[in-house]
Amino acid sequence: MKNAVYYAMLFAVILTWGIDPVINSLFYKHYSATALVSMATLLSSIMFFLVSLKKLKPLNRRYFAVAVPICGLNSIACVFQRIGLQYTTPASYAFLEQL
């Protein structure tokens, strides 16, 4: 049973790795890199919130003093990455995106 789960996970990774550049090229025709990063960030934030809903504690000012600048820098890096990946070959794109 364990082996079947491992092979299913490996198949999911391979499938995601292969389809990702194709899907992203379709998205680039309709959205800018900033819009794509914003949508991905919003979706992941909602998912993390739902997963950790029971374990949330009150957030203090110190938490936001660290989290907000880090989030801003990460978003800028993601936008630059998305812009740069538009100009690479599909093979390089898949390797760099999954890395």
Side-chain angles (χ1 to χ4, degrees):
M1 184 65 180
K2 278 187 179 180
N3 286 339
V5 172
Y6 295 148
Y7 283 119
M9 290 169 60
L10 180 61
F11 179 75
V13 168
I14 292 170
L15 186 68
T16 303
W17 193 319
I19 291 176
D20 187 50
V22 176
I23 292 173
N24 279 332
S25 69
L26 293 174
F27 281 139
Y28 281 129
K29 291 179 184 177
H30 303 288
Y31 301 104
S32 69
T34 307
L36 288 173
V37 170
S38 299
M39 286 188 289
T41 303
L42 180 63
L43 181 64
S44 64
S45 299
I46 291 170
M47 290 174 58
F48 280 127
F49 178 74
L50 292 174
V51 168
S52 63
L53 194 58
K54 293 182 181 179
K55 298 189 183 243
L56 284 178
K57 297 178 182 177
L59 302 176
N60 59 20
R61 182 175 249 164
R62 184 171 176 235
Y63 172 82
F64 286 106
V66 173
V68 170
I70 289 174
C71 180
L73 291 173
N74 185 45
S75 295
I76 291 169
C78 288
V79 168
F80 284 148
Q81 178 192 19
R82 293 274 181 170
I83 291 170
L85 288 176
Q86 293 180 66
Y87 303 106
T88 63
T89 63
S92 297
Y93 179 97
F95 173 74
L96 292 171
E97 180 71 21
Q98 298 304 322
L99 183 63

